[in-house]
């Protein structure tokens, strides 16, 4: 009996000693969790790369694929496959399936991955080349416009236009890129907006992408706000004008080109069948004085945007719309200041004229 008690005390001491020490980390985890924790770094590598490339990465959009490539060096290598980014570019912008655009994209530093990195962000921090009156280096000798329009996520228009920029006529004339000829029209499934509610539907459901590509400089940027900033019906023709816009800065402080609005106007008109036709898709650049820039001035501003940094973020559309609102506010303030200056100048001229008349009258009376 005594021996049994002694043995029990020894066992109790042993248990107390064991319980007083901290248990190992593996004892707190289930076997399955322990295996996952120990092999977390190699778990993704156990999946065959064909499965990742064919069944996982092909289901991702561009931003998600870019995020996945940052998870590990293994995923980065798999996500850098050119065919993945080629398919993403083609699905995001069908206009990039053009043979000319495909060739230009293939010459980018990292091919379609670099093109997507340039063209997807909507927020741009332009670079400054110093005095805006001087020619910045490496002005594009040609620009390519790749344009896609969607309504309720369905493509209704896609076109690629090449514009030469070296002729004297281009540099001196007002800059304007038209995608359709005056008598050309593209039929759509959009119902004719005979009510204001339909105009609001266009503002909510129409999307546009206008990518400017510099084939020599191997850079691209998206000039569109993606969604309209304004939709209204023309008072005379009854056509509906849908406006997309973005703002490019970089001009001299206080100058009219300190901020420039890149405006895209999509004009839609009704047809006999009750559906709308796209009759005009055009791009122009406007400064804060309300003047449209000529070809050379537009090239300078586009070059600033092409060479600028891209800011990523989820609120791409709201940020670009905020930039357009800021431009319109600055434009209004500038117009008011100009009117005040002109009013002050008119007052001084009238006062000077009255003073001159009074002086002449007094001279004649007391002569």
């Amino acid at each position: 009996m005594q021996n049994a008690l002694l043995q029990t005390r020894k066992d109790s001491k042993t248990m107390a000693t064991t319980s007083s020490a901290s248990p190992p980390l593996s004892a707190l985890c289930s076997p399955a969790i322990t295996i996952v924790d120990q092999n977390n770094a190699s778990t993704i590598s156990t999946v065959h790369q064909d499965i990742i490339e064919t069944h996982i990465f092909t289901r991702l959009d561009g931003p998600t694929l870019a995020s996945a490539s940052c998870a590990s060096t293994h995923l980065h290598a798999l996500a850098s496959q050119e065919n993945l980014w080629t398919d993403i570019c083609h699905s995001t912008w069908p206009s990039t399936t053009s043979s000319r655009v495909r060739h230009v994209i293939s010459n980018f530093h990292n091919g379609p991955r670099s093109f997507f990195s340039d063209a997807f962000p909507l927020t741009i921090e332009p670079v400054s080349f110093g005095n805006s009156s001087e020619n910045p280096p490496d002005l594009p000798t040609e620009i390519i416009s790749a344009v896609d329009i969607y309504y309720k996520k369905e493509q209704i228009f896609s076109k690629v236009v090449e514009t030469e920029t070296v002729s004297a006529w281009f540099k001196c004339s007002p800059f304007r890129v038209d995608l359709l000829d005056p008598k050309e029209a593209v039929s759509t499934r959009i119902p004719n907006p005979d009510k204001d509610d339909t105009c609001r539907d266009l503002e909510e459901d129409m999307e546009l992408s206008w990518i400017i590509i510099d084939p020599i400089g191997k850079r691209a940027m998206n000039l569109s706000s993606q969604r309209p900033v304004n939709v209204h019906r023309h008072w005379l023709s009854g056509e509906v004008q849908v406006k997309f816009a973005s703002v490019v800065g970089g001009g001299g402080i206080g100058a009219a080109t300190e901020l420039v609005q890149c405006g895209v106007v999509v004009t839609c008109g009704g047809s006999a069948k009750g559906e709308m036709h796209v009759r005009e898709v055009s791009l122009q650049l406007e400064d804060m004085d309300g003047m449209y820039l000529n070809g050379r001035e537009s090239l300078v501003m586009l070059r600033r945007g092409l060479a600028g940094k891209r800011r990523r973020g989820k609120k791409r559309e709201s940020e670009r719309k905020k930039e357009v609102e800021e431009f319109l506010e600055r434009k209004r303030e500038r117009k008011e200041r100009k009117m005040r200056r002109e009013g002050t100048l008119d007052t001084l001229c009238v006062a000077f004229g009255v003073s001159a008349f009074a002086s002449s009258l007094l001279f004649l009376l007391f002569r």
Side-chain angles (χ1 to χ4, degrees):
M1 184 68 177
Q2 187 175 2
N3 292 337
L5 290 173
L6 290 174
Q7 184 63 33
T8 302
R9 290 175 182 175
K10 289 181 181 180
D11 293 339
S12 300
K13 290 180 180 179
T14 303
M15 292 176 62
T17 303
T18 305
S19 61
S20 62
S22 299
L25 184 61
S26 58
L28 300 177
C29 305
S30 64
I33 295 176
T34 304
I35 292 173
V36 171
D37 289 340
Q38 290 176 351
N39 301 290
N40 187 43
S42 60
T43 299
I44 192 64
S45 62
T46 60
V47 181
H48 198 280
Q49 70 177 35
D50 290 342
I51 296 177
I52 297 176
E53 292 178 356
T54 307
H55 299 284
I56 298 178
F57 280 174
T58 55
R59 301 174 183 269
L60 304 181
D61 58 11
T64 308
L65 181 60
S67 299
S69 67
C70 299
S72 68
T73 55
H74 178 63
L75 289 181
H76 179 76
L78 296 180
S80 299
Q81 300 296 323
E82 183 172 323
N83 63 309
L84 288 174
W85 289 101
T86 298
D87 293 341
I88 287 177
C89 288
H90 291 173
S91 61
T92 306
W93 307 294
S95 57
T96 58
T97 58
S98 164
S99 58
R100 176 68 200 282
V101 176
R102 287 170 64 98
H103 176 72
V104 171
I105 291 177
S106 66
N107 291 326
F108 274 53
H109 177 62
N110 288 317
R113 185 155 59 100
S114 295
F115 177 81
F116 187 90
S117 179
D118 275 354
F120 183 77
L122 292 180
T123 307
I124 302 171
E125 296 179 359
V127 299
S128 177
F129 299 115
N131 188 353
S132 59
S133 63
E134 299 177 356
N135 283 322
D138 303 328
L139 280 179
T141 57
E142 178 189 17
I143 56 175
I144 301 175
S145 299
V147 184
D148 299 284
I149 304 178
Y150 292 87
Y151 179 73
K152 292 186 176 181
K153 304 300 181 181
E154 293 185 6
Q155 181 185 352
I156 61 174
F157 180 83
S158 181
K159 193 168 185 178
V160 175
V161 173
E162 303 174 24
T163 306
E164 65 86 18
T165 62
V166 296
S167 66
W169 178 87
F170 171 85
K171 293 181 179 179
C172 298
S173 302
F175 176 80
R176 181 184 174 102
V177 179
D178 287 292
L179 301 187
L180 297 175
D181 294 331
K183 296 183 179 181
E184 186 179 1
V186 178
S187 61
T188 69
R189 296 182 179 179
I190 306 175
N192 190 14
D194 53 354
K195 299 180 181 179
D196 293 338
D197 291 342
T198 312
C199 291
R200 283 194 289 269
D201 291 341
L202 285 176
E203 187 171 0
E204 294 174 358
D205 297 327
M206 182 174 281
E207 299 180 24
L208 179 142
S209 170
W210 190 305
I211 301 176
I212 291 289
I213 308 171
D214 177 9
I216 305 300
K218 302 183 177 98
R219 294 301 303 268
M221 68 173 175
N222 202 324
L223 293 179
S224 174
S225 53
Q226 189 167 353
R227 295 191 181 274
V229 297
N230 184 25
V231 179
H232 71 278
R233 186 188 296 273
H234 193 273
W235 65 274
L236 181 60
S237 64
E239 295 177 329
V240 178
Q241 294 182 334
V242 186
K243 185 173 183 178
F244 302 81
S246 63
V247 177
V248 178
I253 298 177
T257 56
E258 181 181 355
L259 294 177
V260 171
Q261 178 179 255
C262 306
V264 179
V265 176
V266 180
T267 303
C268 302
S271 64
K273 296 182 179 180
E275 297 178 344
M276 298 189 65
H277 286 179
V278 177
R279 297 179 177 174
E280 178 185 317
V281 184
S282 60
L283 167 68
Q284 286 184 293
L285 273 63
E286 179 186 5
D287 64 17
M288 291 193 296
D289 285 339
M291 302 296 292
Y292 289 108
L293 305 187
N294 60 29
R296 179 198 167 277
E297 294 168 338
S298 299
L299 278 183
V300 172
M301 301 309 299
L302 292 177
R303 178 68 179 87
R304 296 180 195 275
L306 287 167
K309 296 180 180 179
R310 308 300 193 265
R311 294 202 304 264
R312 273 67 177 173
K314 295 182 179 180
K315 300 180 179 180
R316 300 161 60 242
E317 299 171 24
S318 60
E319 287 181 0
R320 179 146 287 188
K321 195 167 186 178
K322 184 178 179 181
E323 291 175 354
V324 173
E325 292 173 352
E326 179 184 354
F327 170 83
L328 295 176
E329 180 65 21
R330 295 276 297 275
K331 179 181 175 181
R332 183 186 62 80
E333 294 175 353
R334 187 179 180 89
K335 182 178 180 180
E336 291 178 353
R337 287 196 302 267
K338 185 177 180 180
M339 292 178 64
R340 286 196 298 266
R341 287 195 301 266
E342 290 178 351
T344 302
L345 183 60
D346 291 343
T347 302
L348 291 175
C349 291
V350 170
F352 178 79
V354 171
S355 300
F357 176 77
S359 300
S360 300
L361 185 61
L362 289 175
F363 176 76
L364 293 175
L365 289 176
F366 294 99
R367 184 175 178 182

